[in-house]
């Protein structure tokens, strides 16, 4: 059994990036577990953000209505709500990794 089969990645701000190869990947923000109660609370001077940026391996299947997808690595992704990026962090990160004319988003970002 694939060790990744039981791993669930929940993205609360997300979109699907279409790569130049036409493969699609999830890109989004995932809550850092160590900053979610009852885990370690943030301390004064803690410079860590309460989230991490996550990029998936290519998507094998995605049920848009349920917000659940599976990637080639065997991980299950659960996306919350519509594609969104209120902080601009997702777009900023992708824009720093890819040429502007190569960036294609599957969904329009909601506010």
């Amino acid at each position: 059994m694939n060790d990744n089969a039981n791993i669930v990645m929940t993205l609360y701000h997300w979109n699907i990036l279409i790569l130049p190869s036409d493969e699609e990947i999830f890109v989004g923000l995932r809550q850092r577990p160590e900053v979610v109660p009852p885990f370690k609370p943030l301390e004064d001077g803690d410079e860590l953000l309460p989230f991490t940026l996550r990029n998936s391996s290519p998507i094998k299947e995605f049920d848009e209505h349920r917000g659940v997808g599976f990637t080639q690595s065997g991980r299950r992704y659960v996306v919350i709500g519509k594609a969104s990026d209120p902080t601009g962090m997702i777009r900023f990160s992708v824009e720093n990794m890819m040429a502007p004319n190569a960036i294609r988003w599957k969904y329009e970002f909601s506010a």
Side-chain angles (χ1 to χ4, degrees):
M1 180 176 191
N2 185 340
D3 288 338
N4 290 333
N6 294 322
I7 297 174
V8 177
M9 298 290 173
T10 302
L11 303 178
Y12 60 93
H13 294 301
W14 65 279
N15 206 328
I16 292 175
L17 179 64
I18 304 168
L19 300 174
S21 65
D22 286 332
E23 291 178 304
E24 299 178 349
I25 63 171
F26 292 108
V27 180
L29 302 181
R30 181 173 188 244
Q31 188 74 34
R32 286 184 52 233
E34 63 270 27
V35 297
V36 178
F39 301 102
K40 175 187 171 289
L42 290 175
E43 297 172 2
D44 289 341
D46 191 351
E47 295 180 11
L48 297 176
L49 296 172
F51 57 83
T52 59
L53 182 69
R54 181 77 193 179
N55 298 336
S56 75
S57 62
I59 298 169
K60 286 176 50 178
E61 62 181 88
F62 178 55
D63 183 333
E64 184 177 342
H65 300 291
R66 291 178 47 222
V68 176
F70 295 89
T71 64
Q72 286 182 4
S73 71
R75 286 193 171 101
R76 178 170 44 146
Y77 278 76
V78 176
V79 296
I80 299 173
K82 296 182 184 218
S84 64
D85 185 20
T87 65
M89 182 66 71
I90 297 167
R91 288 172 279 198
F92 175 78
S93 296
V94 170
E95 288 166 3
N96 281 296
M97 293 185 284
M98 296 178 68
N101 61 345
I103 299 172
R104 295 184 292 156
W105 297 107
K106 185 163 188 164
Y107 304 104
E108 292 288 326
F109 283 101
S110 64

